[in-house]
């Protein structure tokens, strides 16, 4: 075998030295062959590797010798595998050797190709390893940058949005080695960025430049269009509009938008790459990755700041309100309260409300009973999501006095109609109650002073009609009858004013006893037979049902409801009085048919001086105190009263009363509130009859 490189023998083995006469390293290839065979030998060697052999004459010590040889091509050299030809068995063995060597040549070429592929793969693995190390380094740097920004966010409220933005700018500068870094928030081209933080710019230069920039030009391309900008010279960017006076020189530029859920939350600008003419693709990749990681941090800081400002605004506003205001979350936890409520806060230390808050109030019912925890307005708002409007309670102050208040609670709902909190408003109504007391006392005095002269007028008119009926002319008799009728109406009005005054002052007394309800209803219906003559009155009650009530007061309530049914019902229709028995109370229902009551009027029916007259009918006489007094009388028995109406069809009034005596129910239903005695400067005991 002979290895040939650059047309000369490069290497040979011992059999080749025997076969080729005078061959040495460096011998020209053509000198191995007879002169006549040299062109064919050059042509055979110049060809690529071949599996066929070529027979040529070579120089030998014993003369010309025919030799068969095979040419194999390597990367830098040719390999000649030669054997003597025409010597019988040797020639056959040589042929076999040539064939074997041909297969070996194929294997050698495949091995060479595989080695080349291995070298290529090895080089690719080396490059991949270098890229992985570089990527790990970038990720480590980004991780450190993200941690630093997260710590700045965690420091809220000690830090602010500017502090978070400054930390982001510092990390961007460390990642890219930029001389100048700025970060601004804003997309309105008419308004400067705010806030706007910058690094690398001397303070005197910043002062000389003046106001913060607006998102216009190249800055606007990033801020308003959301495009990334990386240029070697910002002056050549198509949107560049120049630099303001006193601005430092700026060439290389990198601008990256910071977006959160498709919305701009900031813009990062870098200028003048230190030690390089421009920012690289790696710089761009790092800043884009940083922008994607810090977007949520900026959004969090903005939301926190916005919430803090709104909370402060809300606190300032509720602090200026004269009423006490308390704000609770959806779990009933107290979140804020104003200064006005401080005067009403008085509770035993260590006591908590049903939601774990330190107890704020010592709340009582208007009659002085402690309000059960599950009946507190805040509990009903959280538990039942039910609003409460102007519920009257008594709150004990720090000095021990009780203050009458109206408590209102309103559940607050989120856009998905879920409870998100509760607002409670506590209004001190001491002045209002004192005015009412004065008015009630005045009404009581007027009623008392009117009762005697009205009685004298009625008695005189009645006496004249009885004693001189035969002597009076017709017009004189009618005049005395009008006087008697008017005095009776005035007496009823005076009685109503008196009862209303007693109810308001919580001095209304009742004398409860066991009463046959069926008999009571029948007596009321009989007493109103004249007023209900145009109606079919039906009583639906089981005989033997008894109630623990003051019969005169319940007679008064039922008479008012039945007379109203006749007054506002349709003539010729039915009036029904139904008694329904429940476990511990009876329910009376008075139903009539007629124009009914508008739904917007129902909540106000039981107020003082309230009327729900039908404009199509003549106005009924009265002060509008009947239902107000009925409500007071029913509540004096521990019951409830309400109304239901279908306009143009039926109207039903319901009220309840106890079936039997309850030890917890005092003979005096409405005790005078403790605060009244203090306000009046005396300790008058409530009247018990």
């Amino acid at each position: 075998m002979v290895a040939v490189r650059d047309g000369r023998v490069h290497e040979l083995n011992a059999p080749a030295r025997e076969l080729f006469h005078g061959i040495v390293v460096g011998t020209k290839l053509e000198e191995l062959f007879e002169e006549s065979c040299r062109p064919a030998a050059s042509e055979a060697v110049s060809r690529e590797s071949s599996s066929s052999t070529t027979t040529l004459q070579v120089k030998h010590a014993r003369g010309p010798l025919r030799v068969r040889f095979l040419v194999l091509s390597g990367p830098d050299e040719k390999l000649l595998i030669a054997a003597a030809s025409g010597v019988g068995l040797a020639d056959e063995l040589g042929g076999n050797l040539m064939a074997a060597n041909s297969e070996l040549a194929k294997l050698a070429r495949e091995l060479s190709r595989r080695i080349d592929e291995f070298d290529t793969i090895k080089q690719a693995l080396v490059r991949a390893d270098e890229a992985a190390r570089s990527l790990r380094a970038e990720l480590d740097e980004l991780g450190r940058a993200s941690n630093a920004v997260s710590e700045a966010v965690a420091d809220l409220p000690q830090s602010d949005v500017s502090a978070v933005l400054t930390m982001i700018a510092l990390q961007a500068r460390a990642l890219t080695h930029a001389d100048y870094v700025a970060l601004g928030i804003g997309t309105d081209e008419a308004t400067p960025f705010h806030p706007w933080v910058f690094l690398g710019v001397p303070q005197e230069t910043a002062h000389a430049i003046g106001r913060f920039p607006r998102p216009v030009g190249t800055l606007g391309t990033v801020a308003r269009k959301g495009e990334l900008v990386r240029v070697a010279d910002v002056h050549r960017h198509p949107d560049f509009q120049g630099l303001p006076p006193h601005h430092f020189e700026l060439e290389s530029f990198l601008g990256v938008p910071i977006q959160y859920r498709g919305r701009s939350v900031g813009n990062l600008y870098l200028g003048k790459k230190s030690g390089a003419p421009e920012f690289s693709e790696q710089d761009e990749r790092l800043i884009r990755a940083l922008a994607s990681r810090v977007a949520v941090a900026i959004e969090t800081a903005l939301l926190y700041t916005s919430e803090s400002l709104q909370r402060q605004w809300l606190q300032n506003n509720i602090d200026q309100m004269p009423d006490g205001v308390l704000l609770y979350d959806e779990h009933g936890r107290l979140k804020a309260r104003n200064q006005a409520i401080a005067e009403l806060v008085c509770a035993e230390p260590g006591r908590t409300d049903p939601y774990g808050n330190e107890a704020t109030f010592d709340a009582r019912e208007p009659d002085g009973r402690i309000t059960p925890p599950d009946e507190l307005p805040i509990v009903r708002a959280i538990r039942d999501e039910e609003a409460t409007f102007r519920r009257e309670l008594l709150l004990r102050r720090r000095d021990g006095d009780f203050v009458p208040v109206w408590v209102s609670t309103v559940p607050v709902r989120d856009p998905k109609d879920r409870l998100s909190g509760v607002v409670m408003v506590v209004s001190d109504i001491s002045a209002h109650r004192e005015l009412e007391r004065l008015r009630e006392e005045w009404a009581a005095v007027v009623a008392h002073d009117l009762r005697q002269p009205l009685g004298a007028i009625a008695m005189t008119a009645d006496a004249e009609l009885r004693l001189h009926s035969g002597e009076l002319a017709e017009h004189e008799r009618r005049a005395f009858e009008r006087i008697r009728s008017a005095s009776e109406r005035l007496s009823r009005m005076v009685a109503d004013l008196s009862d209303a005054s007693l109810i308001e002052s919580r001095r209304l007394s009742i004398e409860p006893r066991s009463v046959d309800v069926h008999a009571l209803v029948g007596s009321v219906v009989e007493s109103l037979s004249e007023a209900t003559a145009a109606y079919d009155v039906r009583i639906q009650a089981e005989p033997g049902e008894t109630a623990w009530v003051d019969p005169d007061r319940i007679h008064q309530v039922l008479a008012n409801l039945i007379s109203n049914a006749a007054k506002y019902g349709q003539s010729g229709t039915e009036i029904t009085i139904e008694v329904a028995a429940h476990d511990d109370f009876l329910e009376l229902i008075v139903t009539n048919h007629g124009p009914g009551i508008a739904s917007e009027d129902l909540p106000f029916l039981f107020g003082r001086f309230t009327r729900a007259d039908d404009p199509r009918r003549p106005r009924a006489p009265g002060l509008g105190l009947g239902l107000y007094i009925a409500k007071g009388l029913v509540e004096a028995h521990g019951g409830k009263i309400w109304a239901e109406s279908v306009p143009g069809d039926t109207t039903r009034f319901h009220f309840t009363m106890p079936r039997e005596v309850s030890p917890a129910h005092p003979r005096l239903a409405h005790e005078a509130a403790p605060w009244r005695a203090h306000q009046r400067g005396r300790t008058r005991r409530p009247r018990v009859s």
Side-chain angles (χ1 to χ4, degrees):
M1 288 187 292
V2 179
V4 179
R5 180 180 295 176
D6 298 331
R8 295 180 179 274
V9 175
H10 176 64
E11 194 174 351
L12 71 165
N13 62 2
R17 294 180 188 278
E18 292 291 332
L19 188 60
F20 295 99
H21 178 68
I23 187 172
V24 294
V25 174
T27 302
K28 291 183 178 180
L29 177 63
E30 61 185 19
E31 295 178 359
L32 301 180
F33 300 93
E34 291 292 335
E35 186 172 352
S36 62
C37 296
R38 289 177 180 176
S42 298
E43 181 182 356
V45 172
S46 64
R47 293 198 300 266
E48 293 294 329
S49 300
S50 175
S51 58
S52 60
T53 60
T54 303
T55 302
L56 297 173
Q57 287 186 341
V58 299
K59 293 181 179 181
H60 193 266
R62 293 190 297 273
L65 179 67
R66 292 177 63 81
V67 175
R68 296 173 62 192
F69 65 90
L70 182 70
V71 180
L72 299 178
S73 298
D76 300 316
E77 58 188 12
K78 303 281 186 176
L79 180 64
L80 276 66
I81 303 175
S85 178
V87 288
L89 180 62
D91 186 55
E92 181 179 355
L93 291 175
N96 292 338
L97 179 61
M98 285 292 189
N101 285 337
S102 176
E103 292 300 321
L104 287 174
K106 290 181 180 179
L107 292 175
R109 289 195 300 273
E110 180 65 19
L111 179 61
S112 175
R113 186 180 66 80
R114 293 292 179 89
I115 291 173
D116 290 342
E117 289 180 354
F118 176 77
D119 289 340
T120 302
I121 293 173
K122 182 178 179 181
Q123 293 173 5
L125 288 174
V126 170
R127 289 193 298 271
D129 183 63
E130 292 176 351
R133 286 198 298 271
S134 176
L135 183 59
R136 281 196 296 270
E138 290 181 9
L139 291 175
D140 289 342
E141 292 178 350
L142 283 172
R144 288 191 293 271
S146 298
N147 290 338
V149 175
S150 298
E151 290 176 2
V153 174
D155 285 339
L156 294 168
Q158 284 74 18
S159 60
D160 56 12
V161 176
S162 295
V164 174
L165 299 186
T166 300
M167 180 57 67
I168 296 172
L170 284 169
Q171 301 309 313
R173 190 179 192 184
L175 290 172
T176 60
H177 304 289
D179 286 351
Y180 310 112
V181 179
L183 201 161
I185 296 177
T187 57
D188 184 0
E189 59 183 348
T191 305
F193 287 108
H194 182 76
W196 172 263
V197 300
F198 51 87
L199 300 175
V201 182
Q203 287 295 329
E204 55 271 17
T205 303
H207 287 306
I209 295 174
R211 64 177 177 84
F212 293 155
R214 292 178 291 114
V216 296
T218 306
L219 301 184
T221 301
V222 177
R224 292 187 294 105
K225 298 181 180 179
E227 297 179 4
L228 185 145
V229 175
R230 179 168 65 90
V231 292
D233 188 352
V234 70
H235 298 79
R236 297 183 179 180
H237 188 267
D239 293 334
F240 182 72
Q241 295 182 2
L243 298 173
H246 310 293
H247 199 283
F248 49 88
E249 286 299 321
L250 188 64
E251 293 185 353
S252 58
F253 176 84
L254 174 61
V256 178
I258 304 174
Q259 295 185 333
Y260 179 76
R261 295 183 177 180
R263 177 173 50 84
S264 174
V265 295
N267 307 281
L268 196 53
Y269 302 109
L270 297 86
K272 195 175 182 181
K273 167 81 171 180
S274 181
E278 62 179 310
F279 291 98
S280 64
E281 291 184 1
Q282 182 184 17
D283 296 328
E284 176 184 325
R285 186 171 59 252
L286 284 171
I287 298 304
R288 290 181 67 175
L290 178 65
S292 66
R293 292 189 176 203
V294 302
V296 67
I298 296 176
E299 178 71 5
T300 301
L302 291 172
L303 288 175
Y304 190 94
T305 301
S306 176
E307 182 182 0
S308 297
L309 292 174
Q310 291 179 6
R311 183 181 293 272
Q312 186 61 46
W313 176 86
L314 178 61
Q315 188 66 53
N316 291 338
N317 276 274
I318 65 175
D319 278 343
Q320 296 176 37
M321 294 180 65
D323 295 331
V325 179
L326 300 99
L327 306 180
Y328 296 85
D329 66 12
E330 69 274 20
H331 303 295
R333 292 188 292 264
L334 181 62
K335 291 299 183 181
R337 64 185 186 184
N338 66 350
Q339 296 295 326
I341 204 68
E343 292 296 323
L344 302 176
V345 172
C346 181
E348 297 177 7
R351 189 162 63 90
T352 59
D353 66 13
Y355 300 103
N357 304 302
E358 182 179 353
T360 307
F361 306 117
D362 181 358
R364 308 291 180 92
E365 295 300 314
D367 60 8
R369 292 179 292 112
I370 296 177
T371 303
D374 60 347
E375 288 297 319
L376 291 171
I378 181 61
V379 174
R380 299 179 67 178
I382 297 293
R383 182 191 61 202
D384 305 326
E385 300 185 12
E386 177 182 310
T388 300
F389 296 98
R390 289 191 170 186
R391 177 177 173 183
E392 186 172 347
L393 294 173
L394 299 176
L395 300 183
R396 184 165 60 88
R397 296 192 308 195
R398 299 183 189 278
D399 59 8
D401 287 338
F402 283 88
V403 180
V405 296
W406 278 332
V407 178
S408 299
T409 55
V410 179
V412 180
R413 300 187 178 279
D414 63 15
K416 296 183 178 180
D417 200 35
R418 296 174 302 191
L419 182 69
S420 62
V422 173
V423 178
M424 178 187 287
V425 179
V426 181
S427 305
D428 185 346
I429 59 172
S430 299
H432 177 73
R433 282 289 177 255
E434 179 61 16
L435 289 175
E436 286 188 343
R437 184 188 67 81
L438 294 175
R439 187 194 63 223
E440 292 154 10
E441 289 188 352
W442 177 85
V445 169
V446 170
H448 179 271
D449 291 346
L450 284 177
R451 188 174 286 113
Q452 184 174 357
L454 283 174
I457 293 172
M459 288 176 60
T460 301
D462 190 61
E464 286 293 329
L465 287 172
R466 288 199 320 269
L467 298 176
H468 306 287
S469 58
E471 303 174 4
L472 295 174
E474 182 61 23
H475 70 278
E476 292 175 332
R477 186 182 60 80
R478 287 198 301 269
F480 277 113
E481 287 178 350
R482 286 196 299 270
I483 291 172
R484 183 175 62 181
S485 177
S487 64
E488 289 175 352
R489 287 199 305 272
L490 283 173
S491 295
R492 287 195 296 271
M493 291 181 183
V494 168
D496 286 347
L497 285 173
S498 179
D499 284 343
S501 176
L502 291 174
I503 291 171
E504 284 296 326
S505 60
R506 306 189 189 283
R507 292 184 290 112
L508 178 69
S509 61
I510 61 175
E511 290 286 350
R513 63 176 183 269
S514 183
V515 176
D516 185 320
V517 177
H518 187 278
L520 176 63
V521 174
S523 67
V524 175
V525 171
E526 184 178 355
S527 68
L528 296 172
S529 59
E530 184 177 347
T532 59
Y535 298 87
D536 180 13
V537 181
R538 295 180 179 271
I539 300 174
Q540 299 176 2
E542 293 293 333
E545 288 288 358
T546 60
W548 188 258
V549 295
D550 184 328
D552 293 335
R553 292 302 192 182
I554 295 301
H555 186 289
Q556 185 178 350
V557 173
L558 197 52
N560 178 268
L561 297 181
I562 295 174
S563 62
N564 280 348
K567 188 185 303 181
Y568 297 104
Q570 183 67 43
S571 298
T573 59
E574 187 179 274
I575 295 176
T576 305
I577 301 96
E578 178 185 357
V579 180
H582 298 273
D583 290 340
D584 55 355
F585 65 90
L586 296 175
E587 179 182 356
L588 274 73
I589 307 167
V590 178
T591 305
N592 76 326
H593 301 266
I597 303 170
S599 58
E600 60 268 19
D601 292 333
L602 286 175
F604 309 103
L605 281 181
F606 300 97
R608 287 175 302 177
F609 308 108
T610 300
R611 307 173 65 90
D613 291 328
D614 185 347
R616 295 168 297 181
R617 304 181 62 176
R619 180 180 176 86
L623 294 174
L625 287 172
L627 291 178
Y628 173 75
I629 294 171
K631 179 175 181 290
L633 295 175
V634 169
E635 291 178 347
H637 287 82
K640 296 180 180 178
I641 187 169
W642 68 98
E644 301 170 342
S645 183
V646 178
D649 191 1
T650 59
T651 299
R652 290 183 174 88
F653 279 84
H654 306 246
F655 73 92
T656 63
M657 54 188 180
R659 299 187 68 175
E660 57 185 18
V661 65
S662 172
H665 193 280
R667 294 183 67 217
L668 179 64
H670 287 242
E671 295 182 357
W675 66 278
R676 292 185 180 276
H678 171 75
Q679 284 191 332
R680 296 176 184 177
R682 54 185 182 271
T683 56
R684 184 177 64 185
R685 297 290 296 171
R687 180 163 60 97
V688 180
S689 55

